[in-house]
Amino acid sequence: MKCQVERAFIGAGCNRIVNNVSWGASNLVAFGAHNAVAIFCPQKAQILTTLPGHNAAVNCTYWLPSSKFAFRAQQLSHHYLLSGDANGIIMLWEVSLTDGKWRHVLTVPQPHKKGVTCISGIMFSSTEAIFASTSSDGNVNIWEIILPVTTGGDCKLSHLESLFVGSKTMVALALAELLDNTGRVVLAMGGLDNKVHIYSGERTGKFVRACELKGHLDWIRSLDFSLAVGKKGARDTLLLVSSSQDKTIRIWKMVLSDTSGKSERKDVIGLASYIEGPLFVSGLSTYQISLESLLIGHEDWVYSVQWQPPSSTSTENNGHLQPQSILSASMDKTMMIWKPEKISGIWMNVVTVGELSHCALGFYGGHWSPNGDAILAHGYGGSFHLWKDVGIDSHNWQPQKVPSGHYAAVSDIGWARSGKFLLSVSHDQTTRIFAPWLSGMGDQGSWHEIARPQVHGHDLNCVTIIQGKGNHRFVCGADEKVARVFEAPLSFLRTLNCAVSSESDLQEDIQLDVKILGANMSALGLSQKPIYVNAVQEAPERPDSEAIDTLETVPEAVPVTLTKPPIEDQLGWHTLWPESHKLYGHGNELFSLCCDHEGKLVASSCKAQTMSVAEIWLWEVGSWKAVGRLQSHSLTVTQMEFSHDDSLLLSVSRDRQFSVFSIKREGVDETNYELLVRQEAHKRIIWACSWNTFGHEFATGSRDKTVKLWSVVSRTSVKQLSTLPPFPSSVTALSWLGLERQTNHGLLAVGLENGFIELWSLSGIRSEHGSTSVAGFTANAVARLDPFMCHASTVQRLAWRSSESEKTEDSQNNQLASCGADNCVRVFEVNVSQW
């Protein structure tokens, strides 16, 4: 058997840290998603890949060449990316723009002793660059890097300097070439002592302290040098912009002085004249720095400032022209573009964009696109916000679709019974729905987050989607003792029918006469209150025209039918589902949930250290009464699953045992259950289990790095069929897909603690005398997924797409979803073919 696996979708949020995002001259955006580096394409609004290798959270990324030096990279087929993590490790990556292939080039020697906080660089030519990194260990390291001219060549890295800055660590860096054309470099750094420190040095190293710039009243958060500017081709000025937690932005002017030490003064002293500042000498040249402007407009910490990169159209005799335009991003939820007025030269705020919803808690950074027609922010909620200037004669900045995802570990996933969407829950306290959005052109559609049904006040641990007929419902468990039931509102059903479903197979849902249009968030982010269809006033046509969120008023949600994938503001506010029931009974935090295939019963378990607390509760769907309490385990039940005929319930636990229960429904209200067998199966915690689609065989996976296959042979005994060869890491997730009923042929997906995923082909061997029971399984590894496709941390759950309505038994295309501790939700296309 042959198995071909392709990446279909990656959903991930951005680490909540400054300097984490970088938009390069390649027009790709890099950001840290837990301990992976994620790459997304702004044009497609899709995450293209993730780069594994870091063992700690990725703190910062930096492109070589960055968008500032795009004019030096027009002929380059390979671009490079630096990434730094919380352990002090810096890695260099290479991407080929022709085929999109990535490779790890090197890990920078002499790592920092603590987390890397900022990386900044400067390109001298298409192959020569210097970059500097700063860390909370109080050191700034400066490196020279020679990039290869040919494909696949080696990068040469040489250490130039280590500067110790003391206990007041630096968190912002900027590098620039000095104006005397002798190849000398200026380094600006800022941090906890509220000053901007200027160092000058040669390209070969030997950096010396030049001067300090005082004025800011709080931490310096961001620094950026312009390219050389000047009128009529005279490049005699360098501008440095700095931003601070004192809510202000300062522009510093650096000019070449004459030999007498007096810089050129303007004949007329106007409003734009500067305050004379310190002098410093570098080589044979003397420079004067002065304050050019103080920009006040933000109402909170200004985390990021960046000069607009020179576009390819604005060229002069030297190949580039620095636009007089600065982008700033602040925790006040806004980004601003600043430009000097043509007549007075006073710097003014000309564009303000931002998020008005209560969900956004401010921006950690702002970035220009390489040609300056788009700006990107990343926020506290791990989200991206992109605006593009779509105006022809005048500026018209409009929000654009961006990738989205969880910004903390994703703990569980589930497919809708129709297979039309995938639902995930995370420790970031949100539930999200991802689906392929059909463009109407007959294609498969590109995946997007289409709804955020739950924004909660506790970390979410588990979820199950109610199978069977009726409206879409799910049950969710969190770090509280209550399970909550949610039901799809009318606005979601209409969106699903309009944009995600190619046929009208969801009309049945619409005909259920759903009276609830959407939901409002509660004050504490726990229970979500329904918005009824009749209670809605005239809904605005535009979903983004809600009332402004102030401290006094929280705006009403405006649930609408979406006609295109929603942006962050809509997701966090207008796509909530109402909560219909709470299920009380467990004594501790909920840990796992599952639903039978008819949609009649839900089983739940919680964290436990005693047998009485470790019991499994059964709930009747609809009435939501507790109809059973199953006792067997003595520690937390880690996963449960109903057999495909719903007659058996399998549970596995931290106590290293599995249990099989018989479940029978007598009449309407009565459910009978019985423990058939309990058996110690592994030497360590059992994390995962999964039933064979075509029979009463199941698999268990454990921390002891093994997967075992079992068969229920009678009402009182379970027989071990086989043990798969040991895996390189703990087995944390399993999902069994039946491919062919006649030969009992299937595919077992195995997820490991190191993030890797393997696919194993299983073929059942029938016992003698024509019995239907299975005597054993032959197992073969048919695919070990490429590390660049896998998770960068523990795989938490695997789930094959279940779409019984459209799938035949000989269907060869299947979709596998996975979620992990690396904050990612992934979907793979698995094409199975015979040899």
Side-chain angles (χ1 to χ4, degrees):
M1 187 178 112
K2 207 158 85 175
C3 202
Q4 190 178 356
V5 183
E6 291 179 1
R7 184 190 294 113
F9 168 70
I10 303 170
C14 182
N15 289 345
R16 300 197 284 183
I17 192 162
V18 188
N19 302 325
N20 186 30
V21 177
S22 175
W23 195 338
S26 58
N27 211 5
L28 296 175
V29 176
F31 65 95
H34 194 253
N35 56 344
V37 182
I39 309 296
F40 89 76
C41 172
Q43 283 80 18
K44 297 179 183 173
Q46 296 287 310
I47 296 175
L48 304 179
T49 188
T50 54
L51 313 179
H54 288 286
N55 293 320
V58 175
N59 283 352
C60 45
T61 58
Y62 188 81
W63 280 97
L64 292 172
S66 63
S67 54
K68 183 192 292 187
F69 298 103
F71 64 92
R72 285 185 178 150
Q74 289 163 357
Q75 308 305 319
L76 290 183
S77 62
H78 288 73
H79 286 229
Y80 295 84
L81 177 69
L82 290 156
S83 59
D85 69 22
N87 282 347
I89 306 291
I90 298 174
M91 291 186 173
L92 179 68
W93 310 85
E94 178 192 75
V95 60
S96 164
L97 297 186
T98 50
D99 59 6
K101 291 273 176 63
W102 283 84
R103 75 179 178 100
H104 172 248
V105 181
L106 56 85
T107 299
V108 176
Q110 291 176 252
H112 287 285
K113 293 181 179 67
K114 291 185 180 175
V116 183
T117 53
C118 183
I119 300 175
S120 184
I122 176 174
M123 295 280 291
F124 299 110
S125 68
S126 58
T127 58
E128 295 173 283
I130 283 180
F131 72 88
S133 62
T134 181
S135 159
S136 42
D137 65 6
N139 285 306
V140 175
N141 289 342
I142 303 159
W143 299 82
E144 182 185 42
I145 185 165
I146 308 296
L147 304 172
V149 182
T150 57
T151 304
D154 290 333
C155 292
K156 291 178 185 170
L157 193 67
S158 50
H159 182 248
L160 299 182
E161 188 88 76
S162 278
L163 304 171
F164 181 67
V165 295
S167 58
K168 299 268 187 175
T169 56
M170 299 292 122
V171 294
L173 291 174
L175 280 160
E177 282 183 273
L178 280 169
L179 304 162
D180 56 4
N181 294 321
T182 59
R184 297 184 72 84
V185 177
V186 59
L187 167 68
M189 60 177 82
L192 281 59
D193 63 357
N194 310 348
K195 302 170 191 169
V196 179
H197 301 268
I198 304 293
Y199 286 75
S200 73
E202 302 167 18
R203 281 174 58 175
T204 54
K206 298 174 190 163
F207 280 76
V208 294
R209 180 189 290 269
C211 61
E212 291 176 352
L213 307 180
K214 299 176 182 176
H216 284 295
L217 304 175
D218 207 337
W219 291 11
I220 312 290
R221 293 310 312 217
S222 182
L223 295 164
D224 193 30
F225 276 110
S226 70
L227 296 164
V229 295
K231 292 181 180 174
K232 299 177 183 175
R235 304 291 177 82
D236 58 358
T237 305
L238 204 59
L239 296 174
L240 171 68
V241 61
S242 61
S243 72
S244 165
Q245 289 180 186
D246 65 8
K247 309 176 189 176
T248 66
I249 300 165
R250 289 172 182 258
I251 302 173
W252 310 87
K253 190 172 188 174
M254 187 182 295
V255 294
L256 263 170
S257 293
D258 57 23
T259 49
S260 64
K262 292 181 181 175
S263 58
E264 296 176 28
R265 302 299 299 184
K266 294 186 178 178
D267 297 334
V268 181
I269 302 296
L271 284 170
S273 66
Y274 43 81
I275 304 163
E276 209 167 280
L279 291 166
F280 74 90
V281 178
S282 178
L284 301 173
S285 305
T286 306
Y287 298 87
Q288 172 138 36
I289 304 181
S290 46
L291 181 66
E292 167 78 0
S293 191
L294 172 65
L295 311 184
I296 300 173
H298 284 294
E299 296 172 4
D300 209 332
W301 298 356
V302 186
Y303 264 139
S304 152
V305 280
Q306 193 179 74
W307 288 96
Q308 181 178 335
S311 64
S312 52
T313 52
S314 61
T315 55
E316 268 192 2
N317 51 11
N318 246 10
H320 68 272
L321 178 65
Q322 172 68 60
Q324 293 288 286
S325 178
I326 292 171
L327 174 69
S328 62
S330 165
M331 282 301 277
D332 66 5
K333 308 181 189 178
T334 64
M335 282 204 299
M336 294 182 179
I337 297 176
W338 306 81
K339 292 184 178 179
E341 259 192 347
K342 285 183 180 173
I343 300 169
S344 67
I346 297 174
W347 285 79
M348 303 289 289
N349 163 27
V350 293
V351 174
T352 302
V353 293
E355 297 293 315
L356 296 174
S357 85
H358 74 300
C359 305
L361 289 172
F363 294 149
Y364 277 160
H367 307 271
W368 288 99
S369 66
N371 57 5
D373 67 344
I375 51 177
L376 175 78
H378 67 104
Y380 179 82
S383 55
F384 287 105
H385 310 260
L386 178 68
W387 288 268
K388 190 168 185 181
D389 186 4
V390 296
I392 298 168
D393 298 323
S394 60
H395 290 302
N396 181 14
W397 294 86
Q398 292 296 322
Q400 306 293 310
K401 182 64 193 146
V402 286
S404 63
H406 296 284
Y407 59 87
V410 187
S411 44
D412 205 356
I413 49 173
W415 286 99
R417 64 171 181 276
S418 58
K420 295 293 178 194
F421 62 83
L422 179 69
L423 184 140
S424 62
V425 296
S426 162
H427 291 169
D428 69 3
Q429 307 187 345
T430 64
T431 302
R432 302 178 190 235
I433 289 178
F434 302 95
W437 192 280
L438 301 177
S439 61
M441 311 292 287
D443 61 358
Q444 294 297 309
S446 59
W447 284 77
H448 296 282
E449 184 181 347
I450 64 164
R452 200 167 295 167
Q454 185 185 10
V455 179
H456 199 45
H458 292 282
D459 291 4
L460 301 171
N461 297 329
C462 49
V463 72
T464 185
I465 296 181
I466 308 296
Q467 305 299 319
K469 293 186 177 176
N471 192 8
H472 295 281
R473 288 172 291 185
F474 70 86
V475 185
C476 194
D479 273 353
E480 55 176 351
K481 302 172 186 179
V482 185
R484 296 171 184 267
V485 185
F486 293 84
E487 187 158 334
L490 193 57
S491 58
F492 175 79
L493 297 174
R494 287 173 176 162
T495 297
L496 199 62
N497 203 36
C498 144
V500 179
S501 175
S502 49
E503 308 96 30
S504 56
D505 56 353
L506 293 167
Q507 286 298 333
E508 179 190 342
D509 295 333
I510 305 294
Q511 289 162 10
L512 288 169
D513 198 24
V514 176
K515 295 280 195 255
I516 295 171
L517 186 63
N520 266 321
M521 190 176 295
S522 72
L524 296 174
L526 291 172
S527 297
Q528 292 167 190
K529 306 292 186 260
I531 300 173
Y532 292 96
V533 175
N534 300 335
V536 175
Q537 306 298 317
E538 253 184 61
E541 284 182 21
R542 289 167 59 91
D544 56 349
S545 56
E546 73 272 14
I548 294 175
D549 178 9
T550 67
L551 288 173
E552 292 79 27
T553 63
V554 176
E556 285 280 305
V558 187
V560 293
T561 306
L562 301 170
T563 54
K564 59 184 180 181
I567 58 172
E568 179 69 20
D569 210 17
Q570 296 165 280
L571 281 169
W573 198 223
H574 303 307
T575 62
L576 293 169
W577 289 20
E579 183 183 312
S580 60
H581 293 87
K582 293 183 183 70
L583 311 182
Y584 295 98
H586 284 291
N588 282 331
E589 301 96 324
L590 270 287
F591 196 83
S592 67
L593 286 161
C594 75
C595 177
D596 66 359
H597 298 81
E598 276 190 44
K600 302 288 175 60
L601 285 176
V602 168
S604 62
S605 75
C606 70
K607 293 179 183 176
Q609 291 183 325
T610 62
M611 183 172 271
S612 59
V613 181
E615 60 190 5
I616 297 166
W617 286 59
L618 292 178
W619 309 87
E620 187 178 60
V621 174
S623 70
W624 297 111
K625 292 178 188 167
V627 293
R629 293 166 68 172
L630 285 58
Q631 285 199 347
S632 175
H633 296 285
S634 56
L635 293 173
T636 307
V637 173
T638 52
Q639 195 180 349
M640 302 170 291
E641 195 172 294
F642 283 91
S643 62
H644 284 260
D645 62 3
D646 289 338
S647 65
L648 300 174
L649 173 65
L650 170 68
S651 63
V652 293
S653 165
R654 298 182 76 102
D655 64 13
R656 310 173 186 181
Q657 304 186 13
F658 66 74
S659 299
V660 178
F661 300 91
S662 158
I663 306 289
K664 279 187 186 172
R665 290 180 56 79
E666 304 282 345
V668 181
D669 295 328
E670 198 177 339
T671 302
N672 293 327
Y673 51 88
E674 179 190 353
L675 174 63
L676 299 184
V677 66
R678 178 178 67 229
Q679 186 168 327
E680 184 158 329
H682 290 269
K683 295 174 184 172
R684 305 289 299 275
I685 293 169
I686 308 177
W687 283 124
C689 63
S690 186
W691 284 100
N692 179 9
T693 315
F694 301 134
H696 285 172
E697 298 85 41
F698 61 88
T700 57
S702 163
R703 183 180 276 176
D704 66 11
K705 304 182 183 178
T706 62
V707 171
K708 295 183 179 180
L709 305 179
W710 311 80
S711 176
V712 181
V713 291
S714 69
R715 287 191 59 81
T716 55
S717 70
V718 169
K719 175 179 147 193
Q720 184 176 341
L721 299 175
S722 58
T723 302
L724 271 56
F727 289 87
S729 182
S730 299
V731 177
T732 53
L734 292 172
S735 188
W736 194 328
L737 172 72
L739 292 175
E740 194 176 14
R741 188 180 292 274
Q742 292 299 107
T743 57
N744 211 349
H745 181 48
L747 205 57
L748 183 68
V750 182
L752 306 178
E753 192 176 32
N754 61 9
F756 289 5
I757 297 170
E758 299 187 11
L759 300 180
W760 287 72
S761 165
L762 302 179
S763 293
I765 303 165
R766 300 283 178 197
S767 56
E768 295 175 8
H769 313 301
S771 168
T772 55
S773 64
V774 173
F777 271 96
T778 57
N780 297 299
V782 290
R784 288 185 171 92
L785 273 60
D786 185 288
F788 281 84
M789 292 174 73
C790 293
H791 292 272
S793 191
T794 306
V795 181
Q796 305 273 36
R797 188 75 79 230
L798 292 166
W800 290 100
R801 180 179 178 180
S802 56
S803 48
E804 283 83 1
S805 56
E806 61 182 43
K807 190 178 162 204
T808 58
E809 275 187 28
D810 59 349
S811 170
Q812 300 301 304
N813 284 319
N814 301 281
Q815 283 188 327
L816 173 68
S818 69
C819 67
D822 62 351
N823 310 356
C824 290
V825 174
R826 297 168 189 265
V827 180
F828 306 97
E829 296 276 355
V830 180
N831 192 318
V832 181
S833 58
Q834 301 298 328
W835 285 105

